[in-house]
Amino acid sequence: MNPSYLLWVILILTIIGYFLGQNRAARVADGRLHRLHSVPSYHGIYVLLWAALPAFLLLALWVAMESWLALELAIAQLPDRFTNVDARALSLLQADVLNIAAGINTGRETAPEVKEAAEAYNNLRSMGDTAIFFVGLLMGLAGLRFALNRISLELRARNQVESVLNVLLILCSLVAILTTVGIVLSLLFEAMRFFTWVPPAEFLFGLQWSPQIALRADQVGSSGAFGAVPLFTGTLLITAIAMVVAVPIGLMSAIYMSEYAPVAVRSAAKPVLEVLAGVPTVVYGFFAALTMAPFVRETFGANGLGLDVASESALAAGIVMGIMIIPFVSSLSDDVINAVPQSLRDGAYGLGATKSETIRQVILPAALPGIVGAVMLAISRAIGETMIVTMAAGLAANLTANPFEAVTTVTVQIATLLVGDQEFDSPKTLSAFGLGLVLFIVTLALNMIALRVVQKYREKYD
Amino acid sequence: MTASTMNVDPSAIAMSNADAVGTGRVKIHSKDVKVFYGAKQALKGIYLDIFEHSVTALIGPSGCGKSTYLRCLNRMNDTIDICRVEGLIELDGEDIYGRTIDTVQLRARVGMVFQKPNPFPKSIYDNIAYGPRIHGIGARRDEMDVIVEKSLQRAGLWDEVRDRLKEPGTGLSGGQQQRLCIARAIAVSPEVILMDEPCSALDPIATAHIEELIDELRENYTIVIVTHNMQQAARVSQRTAFFHLGDMVEVNDTEEIFTNPKDERTQGYITGRYG
């Protein structure tokens, strides 16, 4: 019997339990509900939890252990000559048993004992499933009955239900935190493996990036170079261009929105500006590669100012990334500017300051920490952005500060290194984790500084 | 009792204005001032004269329009989009809502101190220097130093802050901050200073400081103060106007108002029956 039936049965049981608990509590109170320590619905939930939780825990445990347990038991039945072998052969044996049990042809002659073991495995599992169904049902019923019997005027059902909810909430937040920790750890371990191939100093300070490994010894360009400095400078260059675009435009539009715009304009323009934030980065990538890059080449290149412009220039990617970040800067700055107390504006106006004087000399200085925070968050976003640069910036790891040349970024390299089928035992693929670690540390540091700055600012005016 | 009826006869008020033992000449003259916030009328036609070199207190229950009236006098209501002002307000005989008046220049002549101390997030020195700078006064450093020192002295704050002019104004105590704001208002040498409940956020000692200061400032400035504290009105002002539900019910010498109110609403308020 499939254990999922148990889920449905328990679900029905909990609904019944809820109403039974509620009724029992009402009956115990004998019409004077205020005599109960908790209102009847808490008694209902109390019974519900007792009916559901033990059975669910049992089921979860079973699902987790079932196949392992059955396999162990089935293998234990085999004669010693099968099991008394090295670990490798044992795992092969286990795989055989599992395959035969699942009806997959192993393509090899199998001993009848192994077939028997597979049969035993299947039997054990189905027996176990049936058993668990009835045991679970019994536990549910027992829990229900136990909880119902405990209902009395004094039962602190509310407190107990609340503490169960508390545990539930803690579990949920643990999932988020543990996932983060897991991601960081996996990044860290893979990066450590990479650093056994390439020393960290060479990686961090090397000036040449050419993540190749030789297939044959005499191959041309067989030597790989893992100096990540060109990637860092490329990332910096594009981020800087993006900031030059995004910060002035974002900040000015935030000032206009919060200080100058009439209510009607503000309520119409703000959503439009925020639509920009909803555009998928891939679409920005099209825009960068198909519109902005040719435009940059036309304007500054041979037909325009006569400069030497690469077809995939850092400028085009940076400008588009800046456009992407505008709503980010403007909406954060807008919040910060709005948080500057009206009393400061009044104070400046009361002295006869004009609007622009008030904004430049009073509001912006007051909002500065928050704006700095917003800009730092924007920078960390620009550094981590992948799609636009993948599509528009190119792969050439040039060490240059010229915005008209092609550069590549950390994120682009990570993406290209890991696209497709890769084996994770060469420095080429593992270098992606080294880059990822650097990226992670930089953005984490930026975010933390930004949050600190913003927090400090909040304390001052709340 | 014409003043106690809801339909106040403007001429009667004007007369009671004239009756009052005003010292000096009329600095601000207001006639039939009406203020609307959107569709809601906040002031229903105020007739009030404010005399030079005296302290005029505006009292009345919350929401009666006294702060609204005060904010009309330097056109601070202009910063509120939905606010509309009708009627005539004259400063030295000049209509401040007239076409030729620039709010920047008006506010240099009519300074304001607010309910909550609101020093700018700058140093004490820069807080004071801010007003003169935007009006192009004290361009030379030594001139500005003099202005800052004088303003702080007049506000009674100089001795407390002379050694830390570079420190942020927000680091001062509440009472010191409010005196800093008064010094800031004085620094542009206004003719009139409007004070909107300047002591409501302060403790009694700081309040006493400010009240003393107001009394001293009367020599050089015309002061209009909104207050909820009737003892304060009695202590610092020469004339008192009582506002109620958007009307100016009664104005007279402060002593008269507090000892012999003509209107029963005034009497009810100052004896604490409502408000």
Side-chain angles (χ1 to χ4, degrees):
Chain A
M1 198 174 294
N2 192 323
S4 68
Y5 291 135
L6 184 58
L7 275 181
W8 294 108
V9 173
I10 292 175
L11 206 66
I12 295 166
L13 211 57
T14 56
I15 296 168
I16 297 171
Y18 177 77
F19 288 108
L20 280 181
Q22 226 179 1
N23 280 344
R24 173 69 68 91
R27 234 186 9 263
V28 167
D30 200 14
R32 282 176 288 171
L33 290 180
H34 65 271
R35 293 197 303 161
L36 285 168
H37 170 269
S38 313
V39 287
S41 66
Y42 273 108
H43 288 94
I45 299 173
Y46 176 74
V47 175
L48 178 153
L49 288 173
W50 266 107
L53 284 184
F56 270 139
L57 286 179
L58 178 79
L59 186 64
L61 206 64
W62 173 249
V63 169
M65 309 238 321
E66 174 183 39
S67 58
W68 171 79
L69 199 65
L71 187 62
E72 286 294 308
L73 288 174
I75 300 240
Q77 285 179 357
L78 286 169
D80 275 355
R81 68 189 165 85
F82 283 99
T83 53
N84 216 354
V85 290
D86 64 8
R88 225 179 149 144
L90 197 62
S91 86
L92 193 67
L93 177 68
Q94 286 174 345
D96 276 352
V97 171
L98 285 179
N99 281 338
I100 295 167
I104 299 166
N105 189 357
T106 55
R108 276 181 287 124
E109 195 65 31
T110 31
E113 286 89 343
V114 176
K115 280 189 181 151
E116 263 171 45
E119 212 161 289
Y121 171 80
N122 277 341
N123 285 340
L124 277 169
R125 283 195 63 164
S126 73
M127 258 168 60
D129 282 348
T130 314
I132 217 68
F133 177 81
F134 286 109
V135 173
L137 186 62
L138 268 179
M139 279 185 85
L141 285 170
L144 185 97
R145 202 176 154 66
F146 171 75
L148 274 180
N149 280 340
R150 288 196 56 188
I151 287 178
S152 66
L153 290 180
E154 292 79 32
L155 177 68
R156 295 174 159 258
R158 168 164 43 82
N159 307 38
Q160 301 199 15
V161 169
E162 294 290 347
S163 59
V164 170
L165 279 181
N166 190 7
V167 171
L168 193 75
L169 296 179
I170 290 174
L171 285 179
C172 287
S173 44
L174 267 186
V175 168
I177 293 169
L178 289 181
T179 315
T180 316
V181 172
I183 291 172
V184 173
L185 285 183
S186 71
L187 196 59
L188 202 62
F189 284 122
E190 297 297 330
M192 299 288 265
R193 279 178 64 197
F194 170 67
F195 287 131
T196 58
W197 296 80
V198 179
E202 188 192 320
F203 173 69
L204 289 176
F205 303 112
L207 297 184
Q208 226 204 332
W209 178 261
S210 154
Q212 305 296 329
I213 33 161
L215 294 177
R216 306 184 309 274
D218 58 343
Q219 194 177 335
V220 177
S222 61
S223 59
F226 291 94
V229 168
L231 308 192
F232 299 150
T233 55
T235 307
L236 267 179
L237 179 62
I238 289 184
T239 304
I241 294 169
M243 287 301 123
V244 166
V245 173
V247 171
I249 297 180
L251 194 56
M252 303 262 187
S253 65
I255 290 170
Y256 174 71
M257 292 287 173
S258 59
E259 299 292 322
Y260 285 92
V263 181
V265 174
R266 181 185 159 87
S267 58
K270 241 196 135 176
V272 172
L273 193 63
E274 268 153 24
V275 164
L276 269 182
V279 177
T281 51
V282 165
V283 176
Y284 280 113
F286 294 151
F287 178 61
L290 300 181
T291 312
M292 190 54 79
F295 173 76
V296 167
R297 207 170 51 237
E298 286 295 309
T299 316
F300 298 100
N303 300 333
L305 294 180
L307 296 170
D308 191 15
V309 180
S311 60
E312 288 181 320
S313 62
L315 189 63
I319 288 174
V320 174
M321 193 189 279
I323 293 171
M324 182 196 80
I325 291 169
I326 287 172
F328 200 70
V329 175
S330 82
S331 93
L332 280 176
S333 309
D334 188 46
D335 289 348
V336 177
I337 290 172
N338 275 326
V340 172
Q342 181 63 31
S343 65
L344 281 186
R345 292 184 179 84
D346 283 348
Y349 289 139
L351 285 172
T354 63
K355 205 157 195 172
S356 78
E357 283 168 343
T358 305
I359 290 164
R360 272 185 293 121
Q361 295 159 1
V362 175
I363 295 176
L364 286 185
L368 193 63
I371 292 170
V372 170
V375 170
M376 290 180 101
L377 286 178
I379 292 176
S380 84
R381 206 158 152 198
I383 291 177
E385 165 52 38
T386 310
M387 212 58 220
I388 295 174
V389 277
T390 305
M391 294 173 81
L395 291 168
N398 293 326
L399 182 57
T400 175
N402 180 355
F404 298 114
E405 266 188 65
V407 296
T408 189
T409 71
V410 174
T411 50
V412 171
Q413 288 302 319
I414 294 177
T416 42
L417 287 171
L418 294 186
V419 163
D421 290 336
Q422 303 286 351
E423 74 261 47
F424 286 87
D425 56 359
S426 74
K428 180 182 175 218
T429 37
L430 286 177
S431 66
F433 293 95
L435 291 174
L437 189 66
V438 173
L439 197 63
F440 174 76
I441 290 171
V442 169
T443 49
L444 183 74
L446 277 173
N447 280 352
M448 275 166 67
I449 295 170
L451 286 179
R452 276 298 296 272
V453 171
V454 171
Q455 225 164 36
K456 211 171 157 192
Y457 166 77
R458 288 231 171 91
E459 281 160 19
K460 220 164 96 193
Y461 285 113
D462 277 354
Chain B
M1 272 293 146
T2 44
S4 66
T5 55
M6 280 316 285
N7 288 324
V8 182
D9 176 13
S11 61
I13 298 278
M15 218 134 78
S16 79
N17 269 347
D19 287 348
V21 197
T23 50
R25 64 189 191 90
V26 173
K27 183 77 182 172
I28 297 174
H29 169 69
S30 24
K31 191 175 137 199
D32 198 22
V33 175
K34 292 177 182 150
V35 175
F36 302 85
Y37 290 113
K40 192 177 156 286
Q41 187 168 8
L43 287 182
K44 297 172 181 165
I46 305 296
Y47 292 79
L48 183 63
D49 284 344
I50 287 156
F51 294 103
E52 201 169 30
H53 299 311
S54 74
V55 179
T56 305
L58 310 181
I59 60 170
S62 295
C64 66
K66 53 196 188 311
S67 289
T68 302
Y69 174 72
L70 192 75
R71 291 168 65 92
C72 288
L73 300 182
N74 66 344
R75 294 185 55 173
M76 278 301 280
N77 285 329
D78 289 14
T79 59
I80 302 168
D81 285 340
I82 55 166
C83 183
R84 187 158 53 83
V85 180
E86 289 175 7
L88 175 72
I89 301 177
E90 287 177 346
L91 176 66
D92 290 336
E94 195 178 5
D95 179 9
I96 65 167
Y97 282 86
R99 282 185 184 282
T100 55
I101 289 287
D102 182 46
T103 53
V104 168
Q105 284 159 353
L106 173 69
R107 288 174 193 154
R109 291 172 66 192
V110 184
M112 190 160 192
V113 176
F114 297 86
Q115 189 168 356
K116 235 182 89 197
N118 55 352
F120 300 133
K122 299 169 182 287
S123 71
I124 293 171
Y125 185 96
D126 286 336
N127 259 283
I128 308 293
Y130 182 74
R133 266 184 205 142
I134 59 176
H135 294 293
I137 312 167
R140 293 216 325 273
R141 179 81 196 182
D142 52 335
E143 283 172 6
M144 187 61 87
D145 287 347
V146 171
I147 292 175
V148 169
E149 183 178 340
K150 263 194 170 168
S151 307
L152 283 169
Q153 267 169 350
R154 282 212 183 139
L157 194 60
W158 175 249
D159 292 333
E160 289 159 64
V161 300
R162 59 190 305 168
D163 299 323
R164 44 176 179 149
L165 293 175
K166 293 271 168 283
E167 285 173 36
T170 44
L172 297 171
S173 74
Q176 289 173 325
Q177 286 189 12
Q178 193 63 303
R179 275 180 283 153
L180 179 67
C181 292
I182 292 175
R184 188 175 72 186
I186 293 171
V188 286
S189 355
E191 298 157 34
V192 181
I193 301 175
L194 310 175
M195 298 186 173
D196 191 356
E197 297 180 46
C199 302
S200 65
L202 304 182
D203 67 49
I205 294 170
T207 302
H209 250 105
I210 304 272
E211 285 180 7
E212 259 172 57
L213 174 61
I214 291 171
D215 206 47
E216 287 164 21
L217 292 175
R218 179 159 64 92
E219 275 185 39
N220 299 306
Y221 308 96
T222 304
I223 294 172
V224 186
I225 177 171
V226 164
T227 177
H228 272 294
N229 180 334
M230 262 149 330
Q231 284 82 10
Q232 185 171 68
R235 282 193 298 264
V236 302
S237 73
Q238 284 72 55
R239 297 183 81 231
T240 299
F242 173 64
F243 280 64
H244 186 241
L245 296 174
D247 280 316
M248 206 281 296
V249 174
E250 189 173 352
V251 60
N252 212 330
D253 284 3
T254 299
E255 240 183 276
E256 264 316 280
I257 286 268
F258 282 99
T259 55
N260 189 17
K262 302 254 184 328
D263 191 288
E264 59 188 44
R265 286 172 290 173
T266 317
Q267 192 176 16
Y269 182 71
I270 60 175
T271 53
R273 252 184 286 142
Y274 60 85

